């Protein structure tokens, strides 16, 4: 009898969760639905549901420009935060801590946009949105892969700027286009046309010549392998996002960023625990931070904001 009761309670709990998810989906059209129902009851023709106003070309162009500016300036800020010690560029601060704080700021931004932003206004009250976020916690765990990849990517960026200037770094990072093309063909069986293969070949030759030039000028093979691995990380993240699209794993972009940045914080915390456990002490976490490090954090957070609004 006790077993029957427990099974009944578990079934009721699952039904409650499913009902809550269905309620969250229906709230996306709640306001239009209520007006349409009232019109049908009164015998009037229901108006078509209101469509969100499309973003103007000037708005999209300005957001793309801002995003590109932030993306380029991020490398300049990282280079400016370095100091020369014994003829070598070094960081006096823990860049793992900077990455962790940046992810925390991104998490706060995503949380605020999900709870109070205009794109989720039809989801109900703040309490309703918190329940929706909790109901989609298992879906949010799909983003642990991209969170781990980008946690490595963001920290490798600091390492690679020790060995490469901003211009060379940006050019070499274009090798991710080659990795992405090969990975998409392998995993999704997408056949690339002749022109695309020619373009990838030219890109490979250009990056190869630059790699050889950097090695001849004194850059170590370790540095070349690090930036190649960072490029591969970016490509792997793109392939995994395509995998999520094929699985129809689609939630609000701000809720997606919430889970992504929260899980990225966990990954960065583990990295610090393994590589720099001493930097987790309150007295050392912000050691040797300067105005440059604060600008890196703010710039990284604004990059996420611009990426959300440019699309």
């Amino acid at each position: 009898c006790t077993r029957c009761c427990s099974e009944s309670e578990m079934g009721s709990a699952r039904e409650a969760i499913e009902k809550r998810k269905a309620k969250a989906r229906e709230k996306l059209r709640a306001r239009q639905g209520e007006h349409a129902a009232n019109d049908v009851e009164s015998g009037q023709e229901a108006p078509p549901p209101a469509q969100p106003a499309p973003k103007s070309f000037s708005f999209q162009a300005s957001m793309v420009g801002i995003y590109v500016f932030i993306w380029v300036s991020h490398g300049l800020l990282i280079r400016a935060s370095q100091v020369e010690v014994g003829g070598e560029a070094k960081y006096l601060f823990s860049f793992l801590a900077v990455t962790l704080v940046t992810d925390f700021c991104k998490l706060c931004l995503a949380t605020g946009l999900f709870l109070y932003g205009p794109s989720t206004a039809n989801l109900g009250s703040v309490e309703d949105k918190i329940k929706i976020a909790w109901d989609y916690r298992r879906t949010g765990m799909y983003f642990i892969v991209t969170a781990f990849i980008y946690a490595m990517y963001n920290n490798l960026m600091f390492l690679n700027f020790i060995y490469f200037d901003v211009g060379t770094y940006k050019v070499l990072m274009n090798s991710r286009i080659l990795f992405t093309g090969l990975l998409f063909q392998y995993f999704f069986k997408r056949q690339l046309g002749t022109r695309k293969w020619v373009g990838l070949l030219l890109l490979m030759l250009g990056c190869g010549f630059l790699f050889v030039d950097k090695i001849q000028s004194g850059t170590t093979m370790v540095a070349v392998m690090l930036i190649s691995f960072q490029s591969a990380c970016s490509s792997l993240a793109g392939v995994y996002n395509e995998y999520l699209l094929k699985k129809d794993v689609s939630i609000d972009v701000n809720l997606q960023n919430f889970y992504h940045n929260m899980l990225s914080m966990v990954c960065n915390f583990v990295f610090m625990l393994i590589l720099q456990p001493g930097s987790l002490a309150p007295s050392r976490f912000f050691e040797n931070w300067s105005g440059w490090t604060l600008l890196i954090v703010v710039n990284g957070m604004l990059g996420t904001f611009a990426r959300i609004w440019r699309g």
Side-chain angles (χ1 to χ4, degrees), residues 13-44:
R14 285 193 292 268
E15 290 178 3
I17 292 175
E18 292 300 324
K19 288 180 180 179
R20 193 180 297 169
K21 288 184 177 180
K23 182 180 178 182
R25 289 190 294 267
E26 289 299 325
K27 279 188 175 182
L28 289 172
R29 296 177 296 176
R31 293 180 181 176
Q32 291 82 7
E34 289 175 3
H35 290 304
N38 293 334
D39 291 338
V40 170
E41 290 178 1
S42 62
Q44 300 177 3

XYZ file of all heavy atoms in Angstrom, residues 13-44:
252
model
N 3.591 14.206 -9.218
C 4.653 15.199 -9.344
C 5.048 15.395 -10.792
O 5.248 16.517 -11.261
C 5.875 14.773 -8.512
N 5.175 14.277 -11.538
C 5.514 14.406 -12.959
C 4.431 15.141 -13.728
O 4.716 15.960 -14.606
C 5.743 13.008 -13.554
C 7.077 12.373 -13.161
C 7.368 11.173 -14.032
N 6.434 10.081 -13.777
C 6.644 9.106 -12.903
N 7.758 9.076 -12.217
N 5.762 8.147 -12.737
N 3.161 14.839 -13.397
C 2.067 15.532 -14.070
C 2.099 17.026 -13.767
O 1.839 17.855 -14.640
C 0.725 14.939 -13.633
C 0.482 13.525 -14.161
C -0.846 12.960 -13.661
O -1.575 13.711 -12.958
O -1.149 11.801 -13.968
N 2.440 17.378 -12.528
C 2.501 18.797 -12.157
C 3.588 19.518 -12.930
O 3.399 20.650 -13.390
C 2.745 18.923 -10.648
N 4.748 18.849 -13.118
C 5.839 19.465 -13.873
C 5.437 19.663 -15.327
O 5.688 20.703 -15.930
C 7.114 18.607 -13.760
C 7.652 18.648 -12.318
C 8.186 19.081 -14.731
C 8.836 17.742 -12.079
N 4.816 18.641 -15.919
C 4.391 18.756 -17.312
C 3.357 19.852 -17.488
O 3.375 20.597 -18.470
C 3.834 17.411 -17.801
C 4.870 16.309 -17.910
C 5.976 16.668 -18.875
O 5.682 17.322 -19.897
O 7.133 16.301 -18.610
N 2.435 19.966 -16.530
C 1.432 21.028 -16.602
C 2.088 22.402 -16.506
O 1.689 23.342 -17.188
C 0.401 20.850 -15.480
C -0.554 19.677 -15.695
C -1.544 19.570 -14.553
C -2.496 18.396 -14.762
N -3.464 18.266 -13.637
N 3.119 22.519 -15.649
C 3.800 23.801 -15.499
C 4.546 24.178 -16.774
O 4.558 25.335 -17.189
C 4.769 23.721 -14.323
C 5.314 25.072 -13.876
C 6.265 24.931 -12.724
N 5.607 24.383 -11.554
C 6.254 23.953 -10.472
N 7.571 23.995 -10.438
N 5.590 23.473 -9.445
N 5.165 23.183 -17.428
C 5.843 23.461 -18.699
C 4.850 23.887 -19.770
O 5.113 24.804 -20.550
C 6.617 22.221 -19.162
C 7.863 21.910 -18.359
C 8.606 20.735 -18.958
C 9.902 20.468 -18.179
N 10.648 19.327 -18.740
N 3.706 23.187 -19.811
C 2.687 23.560 -20.791
C 2.169 24.962 -20.537
O 1.925 25.742 -21.467
C 1.536 22.552 -20.745
N 2.024 25.304 -19.267
C 1.571 26.642 -18.911
C 2.574 27.697 -19.343
O 2.215 28.772 -19.834
C 1.352 26.723 -17.395
C 0.824 28.068 -16.920
C 0.643 28.053 -15.408
C 0.161 29.418 -14.905
N 0.030 29.435 -13.437
N 3.870 27.383 -19.204
C 4.918 28.330 -19.618
C 4.869 28.559 -21.117
O 5.018 29.686 -21.594
C 6.289 27.805 -19.206
N 4.658 27.461 -21.885
C 4.586 27.626 -23.335
C 3.368 28.431 -23.753
O 3.425 29.239 -24.679
C 4.583 26.248 -24.012
C 5.917 25.513 -23.933
C 5.913 24.289 -24.825
N 4.968 23.269 -24.360
C 5.301 22.271 -23.555
N 6.541 22.157 -23.131
N 4.406 21.380 -23.179
N 2.250 28.197 -23.073
C 1.026 28.906 -23.438
C 1.093 30.384 -23.105
O 0.485 31.212 -23.778
C -0.171 28.281 -22.702
C -0.554 26.907 -23.221
C -0.973 26.950 -24.680
O -1.591 27.959 -25.087
O -0.684 25.999 -25.404
N 1.868 30.746 -22.078
C 1.942 32.147 -21.684
C 2.631 33.020 -22.710
O 2.500 34.240 -22.684
C 2.670 32.272 -20.338
C 1.770 31.969 -19.152
C 2.459 32.285 -17.840
C 1.485 32.098 -16.684
N 2.111 32.440 -15.387
N 3.372 32.388 -23.628
C 4.016 33.169 -24.676
C 2.989 33.873 -25.552
O 3.257 34.902 -26.145
C 4.891 32.263 -25.548
C 6.162 31.736 -24.905
C 6.802 30.703 -25.805
C 7.130 32.874 -24.652
N 1.768 33.280 -25.635
C 0.704 33.888 -26.431
C -0.510 34.218 -25.580
O -1.627 34.299 -26.084
C 0.298 32.934 -27.550
C 1.397 32.652 -28.547
C 0.975 31.657 -29.603
N 0.703 30.350 -28.983
C 0.243 29.293 -29.672
N -0.024 29.401 -30.945
N 0.045 28.146 -29.062
N -0.286 34.394 -24.296
C -1.403 34.554 -23.369
C -2.230 35.798 -23.665
O -3.458 35.737 -23.729
C -0.884 34.593 -21.928
N -1.543 36.931 -23.835
C -2.291 38.170 -24.008
C -3.116 38.158 -25.282
O -4.286 38.519 -25.288
C -1.324 39.350 -24.037
C -0.642 39.574 -22.700
C 0.317 40.751 -22.757
N 0.970 40.943 -21.479
C 1.904 41.847 -21.262
N 2.297 42.641 -22.246
N 2.458 41.966 -20.072
N -2.479 37.692 -26.412
C -3.231 37.627 -27.647
C -4.363 36.621 -27.542
O -5.454 36.841 -28.062
C -2.304 37.247 -28.813
C -1.295 38.317 -29.178
C -0.084 38.295 -28.281
O 0.067 37.395 -27.459
N 0.767 39.297 -28.416
N -4.115 35.496 -26.849
C -5.144 34.470 -26.709
C -6.348 34.958 -25.931
O -7.493 34.642 -26.257
N -6.098 35.730 -24.858
C -7.207 36.229 -24.052
C -8.080 37.181 -24.850
O -9.306 37.123 -24.811
C -6.651 36.917 -22.806
C -6.043 35.944 -21.804
C -5.397 36.682 -20.655
O -5.498 37.938 -20.645
O -4.815 36.027 -19.777
N -7.427 38.080 -25.599
C -8.197 39.018 -26.406
C -8.994 38.294 -27.482
O -10.144 38.622 -27.762
C -7.261 40.041 -27.060
C -6.657 41.005 -26.069
N -7.416 41.786 -25.239
C -5.355 41.281 -25.791
C -6.616 42.526 -24.475
N -5.362 42.224 -24.795
N -8.370 37.259 -28.111
C -9.070 36.524 -29.151
C -10.268 35.782 -28.583
O -11.334 35.739 -29.196
C -8.106 35.542 -29.823
N -10.124 35.182 -27.394
C -11.228 34.449 -26.782
C -12.391 35.386 -26.461
O -13.561 35.052 -26.667
C -10.747 33.742 -25.513
N -12.082 36.572 -25.942
C -13.137 37.531 -25.634
C -13.890 37.961 -26.887
O -15.113 38.122 -26.882
C -12.542 38.759 -24.940
C -12.000 38.414 -23.556
O -12.459 37.458 -22.924
N -11.026 39.177 -23.102
N -13.134 38.138 -27.988
C -13.772 38.538 -29.233
C -14.669 37.438 -29.786
O -15.744 37.694 -30.331
C -12.717 38.905 -30.276
C -11.993 40.197 -29.915
O -12.581 40.974 -29.139
O -10.865 40.394 -30.397
N -14.248 36.171 -29.649
C -15.061 35.056 -30.139
C -16.352 34.953 -29.349
O -17.435 34.730 -29.883
C -14.256 33.743 -30.059
C -15.160 32.550 -30.322
C -13.126 33.774 -31.071
N -16.263 35.126 -28.026
C -17.464 35.051 -27.197
C -18.440 36.171 -27.523
O -19.652 35.997 -27.458
C -17.060 35.123 -25.716
C -16.330 33.871 -25.236
C -15.899 33.999 -23.785
O -16.201 35.071 -23.199
O -15.309 33.049 -23.260
N -17.924 37.332 -27.895
C -18.809 38.454 -28.203
C -19.280 38.439 -29.655
O -20.007 39.324 -30.077
C -18.070 39.776 -27.928
O -16.937 39.882 -28.754
N -18.847 37.416 -30.432
C -19.289 37.299 -31.811
C -18.473 38.103 -32.784
O -18.807 38.161 -33.966
N -17.414 38.744 -32.334
C -16.574 39.545 -33.211
C -15.458 38.688 -33.801
O -15.093 37.655 -33.247
C -15.951 40.721 -32.443
C -16.995 41.650 -31.840
C -16.346 42.760 -31.036
O -15.134 42.852 -30.980
N -17.165 43.589 -30.418
